[in-house]
Amino acid sequence: MRARKAPSAWLVVYHGNDRAIRFYRGLGYAETGAEFHDFEDIRIEFRRMSKAYAPPTAILS
């Protein structure tokens, strides 16, 4: 992501997947919200995790 000069990245992880959440936290991602997706008649909760790669001022210059 840094090589592509992306300001940030985000992903979603199943809310019950504590191992994956810990893994992404270890990579510097932080939980920034929740998302819900409906599959047939089941609603599934996911955690949105984000990581900033460049400070906002660097993006504008």
Side-chain angles (χ1 to χ4, degrees):
M1 296 304 290
R2 276 190 280 266
R4 292 178 179 254
K5 298 187 173 143
S8 62
W10 62 270
L11 54 91
V12 293
V13 178
Y14 174 67
H15 82 281
N17 191 344
D18 295 329
R19 185 176 175 188
I21 292 170
R22 283 192 308 273
F23 172 79
Y24 288 115
R25 280 184 187 154
L27 292 178
Y29 284 79
E31 290 184 55
T32 55
E35 293 187 17
F36 297 88
H37 296 273
D38 296 324
F39 297 99
E40 297 181 6
D41 60 345
I42 301 170
R43 177 160 271 209
I44 300 176
E45 182 179 351
F46 293 87
R47 300 284 185 231
R48 186 181 317 110
M49 301 187 77
S50 303
K51 180 177 180 176
Y53 285 95
T57 55
I59 298 165
L60 300 175
S61 43

